Amino acid sequence: MGKETASDELRGVVESVIYRNDMTDYTVLEISDKDKNLLTAVGMIPETHEGECVVLRGRYTYHKEFGRQFAFDSFEKALPEEDEGILQYLSSGTVKGVGPVTALKIVNRFGKETFDVIEHHPEWLVDISGITKKKAAQISASFREQTGMRDVMMFCKDHFAVGEATRVYKRFGSGAVGIIREDPYILCEGEDPLPFQKVDDFAASISFPRDHENRVRAGARYILQYNAQANGHTCLPKDKLIGAVSGLLELPEDLVRGMCEKFIDKDLLTAYRRGKEILWMLPSVAEKEAYIADKLPILDRGAERISTASIAALIAKVEDAAGIAYAELQKRAIYQALDGGVMILTGGPGTGKTTVVKALLSIFSSLGMKSVLAAPTGRAAKRMSEATSEEAKTVHRLLETERVLGATRFGRGEKNPLDEDAIIVDELSMIDLDLMYALLRAVRRGSRLILIGDADQLPSVGAGNVLSDMIGSGVLRTVRLTEIFRQSGESLIVTNAHRINRGEKPILNAVDNDFFFVRREDESTIPETVVSLVTERLPRRYGRDMSEKVQIISPSKKGVAGIENLNTLLQEKINPQRRFVGQYTAHGVIFREGDRVMQTSNDYDLEWKKDGVEGNGVFNGDIGRIESILPREEKMIIRFDERTVDYPFDKLEELDLAYAITVHKSQGSEYPVVILPMYSCPQMLRTRNLLYTAVTRAKQMVILVGRAEICYQMVGNNRQDMRYTTLADRLAAQKDEFSGR
């Protein structure tokens, strides 16, 4: 046998389909080559059937259990041309309504013309005994469906992955080739779109006009969606959008401007005027910002008013029951929450936000009102529950979120609103435009909405700047708590958090407190110091289980102390490769049994079990532990808190190691101990609100490791990434619609 390469080719006939994963299209085939030798082939190929002729390209490999195999990464498919192959294909059950007996009759009658007859002259099949006119039509339709899939695969194979081509076929059916040839950019639309750049390359390959308005429209849509995902913008200034689209498509700005203005006229884009500035946005995004701006005053006016004297009596009663006296700002917050339908409560750590929430829960209960607590993430909801001793739900669970045909659906909305009289939502800084829109659709008029968040933290990962826009509009009842209470004031974490927020240097030289600084001027020594703290120094001083309480939070993914490097070092130290411990590599990351991992995107389809109860959904920021890796079943068993999830290999792009995480991914969570590297991360990440967010994630201890200079630079840099949105302006325009205004 000659030297095996990565570009071998295997031609043959599919004798049998040994295994197939319908989710991933991973398939194990038995192929007979031209010499009738049987070979095992493995790879991604959709809708494969016995009798099909295939050309597979890849390489020969050797599997320790199954022996020699052909691993392919590309393919071509064709129908058999000889009677024997045609009979095998039809006998396999691929074509509905045709079994081995009927297949033999058809092939004996039509021979090599069988497929042409079935596709173009199904009425001829009626001459065969047992085939009615109706059955002949069914056979023809089933065959055309199979050939349609093959046509799509062959048409798309040089530009789209197998899974992407399958999505094209499932969406458009057997006529997909004609549809996408006429307008390839339709693939960028819908609930499960393909990436713009891939579609644009594909369009060029079929000579689709570069200056076609469908291409310009898709380009504008892509720029707006990219800026929403990467920068949080819900809109862009007109000239910025035109320039970006022009550069992306390499078309003149005048051409782009003219077409985009036509899109405005056709409601394919929406314009919003702010003073002299014109902002352009997607109509669906404009609808959401407008809905929020319209719904909030309706809710604010809709709640039953409670008199000032009654509120004072309620506050006094709950103070007596709790044995405490509320501070003036806390009383003001309680008053504002009872005076109208919508109130925002903000403030830093230790300022008593939880105390206000407990008071409101008690008052609502005494008034016979049904209330509910919610937060954007599971960890934030768990914190809220622990702090109040009341159940808290994720916003997604509150809204009864599910995934249907690749799209997110909410069981609660305008037609089926929430039952509660008071909805209290924490960590509002994390809530993006889409989730706020979904939440408000589910809140009925007459309910109270109390929104809690720290306006000085990082904004949401998703598009929008909801909390800051609502506060900045100046029309919503807002109370900012500023007083640090005695017990919290003894914490240097709380003290330094507020110093950072005011632009003052944190205290770094304290001893025997909860905020420490380990100086490392040579940044190359920061990673080894972090690893030593987690695995040796902290466990030696505070106990062996201390390492489980530590979360390393770094500003950046990259760099000497970025999370990628730290995760590699920590995994090797804490959970090294060893016999009888399973591991699996995906998207360049080695996952091992016992690893701490994080979900990096919302996945509503993942199924979990908890104490015998089943449910769906694992969300961005959820941290778990790999309990076992099962290669044969192509899955891992991961425990996220109390939930056990069967995690399929094809979803591992959504998973990452979590010994170290970014500050953005830590939002809404709280950890006993936080270690934060201070190193020369990108300048755009050396900001005050990023440092403040990281420090406020810690409950018991913060340890900064690195250069004090970096810390001071972050404190001094109060630059916040500006987000283009229209919500604040829309709310301000509604000023007269709010109650008591």
Side-chain angles (χ1 to χ4, degrees):
M1 186 170 60
K3 183 179 179 181
E4 297 176 344
T5 69
S7 57
D8 292 319
E9 184 175 276
L10 173 61
R11 293 174 178 265
V13 176
V14 178
E15 294 293 339
S16 64
V17 180
I18 299 171
Y19 171 81
R20 172 173 173 74
N21 185 320
D22 291 327
M23 292 289 292
T24 64
D25 290 321
Y26 177 80
T27 308
V28 180
L29 302 170
E30 194 172 52
I31 306 291
S32 63
D33 64 13
K34 62 180 181 180
D35 299 321
K36 303 299 181 182
N37 296 316
L38 288 178
L39 295 167
T40 300
V42 296
M44 309 276 278
I45 186 170
E47 299 292 331
T48 310
H49 305 284
E50 295 174 12
E52 279 190 313
C53 299
V54 293
V55 180
L56 308 176
R57 297 181 180 86
R59 65 193 184 282
Y60 288 95
T61 62
Y62 189 86
H63 191 283
K64 62 180 180 180
E65 186 173 349
F66 302 111
R68 190 169 183 255
Q69 297 180 338
F70 188 80
F72 61 91
D73 47 35
S74 66
F75 65 89
E76 291 181 19
K77 299 166 68 175
L79 290 171
E81 298 178 352
E82 302 300 325
D83 291 6
E84 180 182 354
I86 295 171
L87 178 60
Q88 182 184 18
Y89 181 84
L90 290 180
S91 299
S92 68
T94 299
V95 179
K96 293 178 183 178
V98 180
V101 175
T102 303
L104 181 60
K105 291 179 182 179
I106 295 174
V107 175
N108 283 342
R109 179 68 177 270
F110 298 110
K112 293 185 175 72
E113 306 301 319
T114 293
F115 291 144
D116 182 65
V117 169
I118 292 174
E119 184 171 6
H120 299 109
H121 307 287
E123 67 275 8
W124 294 0
L125 298 175
V126 178
D127 294 338
I128 296 173
S129 63
I131 300 182
T132 63
K133 188 174 182 180
K134 181 178 179 181
K135 186 174 182 179
Q138 291 174 338
I139 291 171
S140 182
S142 177
F143 178 77
R144 288 197 304 274
E145 181 179 338
Q146 298 300 328
T147 55
M149 168 69 99
R150 184 168 30 257
D151 290 345
V152 172
M153 290 296 158
M154 293 304 100
F155 189 62
C156 297
K157 68 183 179 66
D158 292 333
H159 294 278
F160 303 132
V162 171
E164 292 170 331
T166 302
R167 280 155 55 190
V168 173
Y169 176 75
K170 288 179 178 177
R171 181 178 174 187
F172 299 110
S174 56
V177 171
I179 292 171
I180 63 177
R181 189 185 289 278
E182 182 176 345
D183 178 16
Y185 294 96
I186 197 172
L187 298 175
C188 297
E189 301 175 5
E191 293 181 335
D192 198 12
L194 297 185
F196 171 81
Q197 201 57 61
K198 278 192 174 185
V199 173
D200 200 42
D201 291 342
F202 170 73
S205 75
I206 61 172
S207 301
F208 192 81
R210 295 180 67 258
D211 58 355
H212 196 284
E213 70 172 26
N214 289 356
R215 181 172 184 250
V216 176
R217 180 188 171 198
R221 187 181 188 87
Y222 168 75
I223 292 295
L224 287 168
Q225 289 174 334
Y226 173 82
N227 275 277
Q229 294 165 1
N231 303 312
H233 303 313
T234 63
C235 54
L236 285 175
K238 173 181 175 179
D239 290 340
K240 283 184 178 291
L241 178 60
I242 290 170
V245 175
S246 172
L248 173 71
L249 304 181
E250 297 181 342
L251 292 173
E253 287 195 7
D254 287 346
L255 174 68
V256 172
R257 178 180 289 103
M259 286 188 178
C260 284
E261 286 172 348
K262 289 181 181 178
F263 300 152
I264 295 289
D265 294 337
K266 296 178 181 179
D267 293 327
L268 299 175
L269 286 177
T270 298
Y272 184 88
R273 183 178 291 277
R274 181 164 60 198
K276 295 182 179 180
E277 187 176 46
I278 297 176
L279 301 163
W280 280 356
M281 58 204 306
L282 293 174
S284 59
V285 177
E287 177 189 343
K288 291 172 183 175
E289 290 198 320
Y291 181 92
I292 293 171
D294 290 340
K295 184 68 178 281
L296 285 171
I298 291 172
L299 292 176
D300 193 43
R301 296 192 311 269
E304 183 180 348
R305 301 293 292 272
I306 301 174
S307 69
T308 301
S310 297
I311 294 174
L314 288 167
I315 293 174
K317 184 177 179 180
V318 79
E319 281 182 319
D320 288 341
I324 59 175
Y326 298 125
E328 285 305 311
L329 283 175
Q330 289 177 318
K331 288 182 180 180
R332 184 186 300 175
I334 297 169
Y335 176 87
Q336 294 285 18
L338 297 173
D339 183 52
V342 181
M343 191 271 285
I344 297 173
L345 177 63
T346 187
T351 55
K353 295 191 296 294
T354 301
T355 301
V356 173
V357 172
K358 287 181 177 180
L360 289 172
L361 289 172
S362 179
I363 291 172
F364 291 146
S365 177
S366 70
L367 294 173
M369 296 170 62
K370 185 180 179 183
S371 57
V372 67
L373 303 175
T377 67
R379 284 184 168 263
K382 186 176 181 180
R383 284 178 56 201
M384 199 178 190
S385 181
E386 290 170 348
T388 61
S389 299
E390 298 286 343
E391 181 190 9
K393 301 178 180 180
T394 64
V395 177
H396 292 93
R397 183 181 163 206
L398 180 70
L399 299 179
E400 298 175 9
T401 310
E402 61 180 348
R403 196 76 167 169
V404 179
L405 299 176
T408 302
R409 298 282 186 261
F410 298 101
R412 295 288 183 167
E414 290 182 326
K415 294 181 179 179
N416 183 28
L418 296 168
D419 302 321
E420 288 80 10
D421 304 300
I423 297 102
I424 303 175
V425 184
D426 197 9
E427 295 289 353
L428 201 76
S429 64
M430 297 181 65
I431 291 185
D432 61 16
L433 178 70
D434 288 345
L435 192 55
M436 191 65 190
Y437 169 73
L439 174 63
L440 288 182
R441 285 178 62 86
V443 180
R444 60 179 170 79
R445 181 168 183 165
S447 295
R448 279 178 163 77
L449 183 63
I450 293 95
L451 304 170
I452 306 167
D454 189 339
D456 297 312
Q457 289 186 21
L458 293 169
S460 61
V461 174
N465 204 10
V466 174
L467 177 59
S468 292
D469 280 353
M470 288 195 300
I471 294 173
S473 69
V475 299
L476 286 155
R477 290 177 175 80
T478 302
V479 177
R480 178 185 286 270
L481 302 179
T482 56
E483 181 181 350
I484 302 174
F485 293 95
R486 186 179 59 81
Q487 187 174 355
S488 297
E490 296 170 359
S491 165
L492 198 53
I493 295 175
V494 173
T495 299
N496 275 341
H498 285 274
R499 289 178 68 90
I500 290 167
N501 203 27
R502 294 193 298 266
E504 301 171 9
K505 292 180 179 180
I507 299 167
L508 300 181
N509 58 356
V511 180
D512 293 330
N513 207 296
D514 55 7
F515 196 106
F516 302 96
F517 175 62
V518 180
R519 186 180 301 276
R520 291 292 182 270
E521 291 299 325
D522 182 354
E523 293 190 357
S524 66
T525 65
I526 294 176
E528 66 183 64
T529 303
V530 170
V531 172
S532 174
L533 282 166
V534 175
T535 61
E536 298 172 15
R537 295 168 62 177
L538 290 175
R540 187 164 57 238
R541 181 167 181 179
Y542 298 100
R544 294 179 59 186
D545 65 340
M546 187 62 173
S547 61
E548 288 297 312
K549 300 178 181 179
V550 176
Q551 182 61 63
I552 296 142
I553 301 178
S554 180
S556 176
K557 289 184 178 181
K558 304 293 184 181
V560 65
I563 67 165
E564 291 180 356
N565 187 40
L566 289 174
N567 271 321
T568 300
L569 295 173
L570 285 158
Q571 182 192 50
E572 196 55 40
K573 184 71 174 180
I574 296 171
N575 191 28
Q577 183 177 7
R578 53 204 186 278
R579 291 185 66 187
F580 309 118
V581 173
Q583 71 176 42
Y584 186 83
T585 302
H587 62 90
V589 177
I590 298 172
F591 295 101
R592 293 195 185 110
E593 292 172 349
D595 275 338
R596 184 192 292 183
V597 291
M598 171 179 274
Q599 178 75 11
T600 60
S601 62
N602 291 337
D603 193 315
Y604 304 93
D605 299 325
L606 284 169
E607 299 176 353
W608 52 260
K609 295 180 181 178
K610 176 184 176 183
D611 300 328
V613 178
E614 297 183 354
N616 293 77
V618 179
F619 300 107
N620 190 357
D622 285 354
I623 290 181
R625 182 82 62 179
I626 299 174
E627 294 191 337
S628 58
I629 297 176
L630 307 171
R632 281 180 174 274
E633 300 176 44
E634 296 186 335
K635 70 177 183 180
M636 298 177 181
I637 308 298
I638 303 178
R639 181 176 291 275
F640 291 92
D641 293 325
E642 295 86 16
R643 297 169 299 158
T644 301
V645 179
D646 282 10
Y647 208 103
F649 284 175
D650 64 288
K651 287 183 175 286
L652 289 178
E653 288 285 344
E654 302 174 3
L655 203 68
D656 217 335
L657 294 176
Y659 298 104
I661 62 176
T662 63
V663 179
H664 286 85
K665 290 295 183 185
S666 74
Q667 283 182 270
S669 297
E670 188 175 68
Y671 311 97
V673 180
V674 166
I675 298 178
L676 179 63
M678 292 281 96
Y679 71 105
S680 300
C681 60
Q683 188 67 38
M684 62 182 292
L685 295 174
R686 284 185 247 172
T687 63
R688 182 185 301 173
N689 66 342
L690 190 139
L691 178 61
Y692 173 77
T693 301
V695 167
T696 54
R697 298 309 90 207
K699 189 174 183 180
Q700 299 172 8
M701 185 186 302
V702 169
I703 304 174
L704 304 187
V705 180
R707 298 166 55 201
E709 176 189 357
I710 299 296
C711 176
Y712 298 151
Q713 285 178 9
M714 296 176 80
V715 172
N717 181 9
N718 198 29
R719 181 188 66 83
Q720 298 185 21
D721 292 333
M722 189 198 72
R723 292 192 170 190
Y724 289 111
T725 68
T726 68
L727 180 57
D729 296 277
R730 293 179 192 269
L731 281 167
Q734 296 269 34
K735 181 178 180 180
D736 294 338
E737 299 299 315
F738 285 85
S739 65
R741 305 300 170 112

